Amino acid sequence: AEKRADGVKPMVVVAGCVAQAEGAEIVRRAPAVDVVVGPQAYHRLPAMIAAAANGAAIDTDMPLDSKFDALPKRGKQAGPTAFLTVQEGCDKFCTYCVVPYTR
């Protein structure tokens, strides 16, 4: 992206499941993009923004380690429970969702 009138260059970030699926192709097709990040790496955005000063930063990995391990343990539960973030979806292949196809 070009600098604004005040001399500041805006940062362009593409995030989400489609960004994860397309990865470096996004930067190839749109060189103004500074950061491409998948849902599993949102917590790394500050480091990626800093790294983008030296060129496009891309993180579309699906790490095996569970980020939910860091959540505090909850008390006694009534019935089965689980964490499922909406932004990451599941693997049920709903017609409107691209997430299962990116894995």
Side-chain angles (χ1 to χ4, degrees):
E2 295 183 27
K3 289 184 179 180
R4 298 184 316 216
D6 62 4
V8 175
K9 179 185 176 284
M11 178 165 287
V12 178
V13 177
V14 178
C17 52
V18 173
Q20 182 178 33
E22 296 297 323
E25 177 67 11
I26 292 172
V27 176
R28 187 189 71 74
R29 292 178 62 190
V33 172
D34 299 296
V35 177
V36 178
V37 59
Q40 292 283 347
Y42 289 160
H43 64 285
R44 291 187 8 87
L45 269 173
M48 294 180 71
I49 289 170
N54 299 319
I58 302 171
D59 189 341
T60 56
D61 289 341
M62 290 285 291
L64 294 177
D65 58 318
S66 173
K67 65 184 174 195
F68 297 119
D69 290 344
L71 293 172
K73 299 294 180 205
R74 296 174 60 177
K76 185 178 177 180
Q77 299 292 318
T81 62
F83 287 103
L84 175 67
T85 59
V86 172
Q87 68 191 16
E88 292 172 22
C90 63
D91 60 358
K92 300 300 181 200
F93 290 90
C94 298
T95 58
Y96 59 85
C97 186
V98 69
V99 173
Y101 296 101
T102 65
R103 293 192 177 127

